[in-house]
Amino acid sequence: MEIKTQKHNPVLLVHGINDTGAVFNKMARYLGKQGRVVCTLDLIPNNGSELLGKLAQQVADYVNINFTPEQPLDIVGFSMGGIVSRYYIQRLGGIEKVKRFITISSPHNGTNIAYLTWLKGALQMQPNSDFLNDLNSDIEMLKKLNFTSIWTPYDLMIVPADSSRIPVGKEVILTVALHPWMLTDKRTFEVVAAALDEPISH
């Protein structure tokens, strides 16, 4: 019988628009009590005015500064943070480092809310934007890691809510009433923890 000796990978939590890493405080405490090393970063600016690729470079820089090249990593991205993390994984080499990737209420296929702004980063989250079409053109890349999308059908920020649905990995639908509550609902914590515990499938 194989004895499990490997410790948990560090977990990097990537926040969404108009948030900071502090939005994950409750989840970070929950995961920390399980013996995980949990890290957050603050994307600057956080209001959708910067191109998402530039924010993804901040994720790449954070990872390069804080983790050794051989250290595997798991990422949880909330809302815009899930899309920023996807760019890091799919375009900036993160695919070689990230083993488990979880998005929570992320607009993988865009959100109609993004039509209400002229901010260049937010515009990239419009349905059928060049940015999202490019990421989705080789979504098969995400099969190289353990991917989970968690979302709620009641989301009023991700419109339509099933924009969080993509044809790879696992999908978990939670009946949470509001977009921000996804980060405070214990069911989300439990799903995230379970996904982080899953053995690497490749």
Side-chain angles (χ1 to χ4, degrees), residues 113-135:
I113 297 296
Y115 288 118
L116 304 177
T117 180
W118 292 102
L119 297 172
K120 57 188 179 181
L123 289 173
Q124 291 180 305
M125 291 185 284
Q126 289 182 353
N128 292 311
S129 70
D130 290 344
F131 181 86
L132 288 177
N133 285 342
D134 174 64
L135 279 185

Side-chain angles (χ1 to χ4, degrees), residues 183-199:
L183 293 187
T184 57
D185 194 293
K186 189 177 180 184
R187 291 171 295 170
T188 305
F189 302 165
E190 291 169 349
V191 172
V192 168
L196 292 173
D197 275 338
E198 285 189 0

Side-chain angles (χ1 to χ4, degrees), residues 14 16 21 49 55 89 103 130 136 138 145 154 176 179 185-187:
V14 183
S49 64
L55 298 182
I89 289 167
T103 61
D130 290 344
N136 289 333
D138 61 356
L145 44 70
Y154 304 128
V176 176
H179 185 75
D185 194 293
K186 189 177 180 184
R187 291 171 295 170

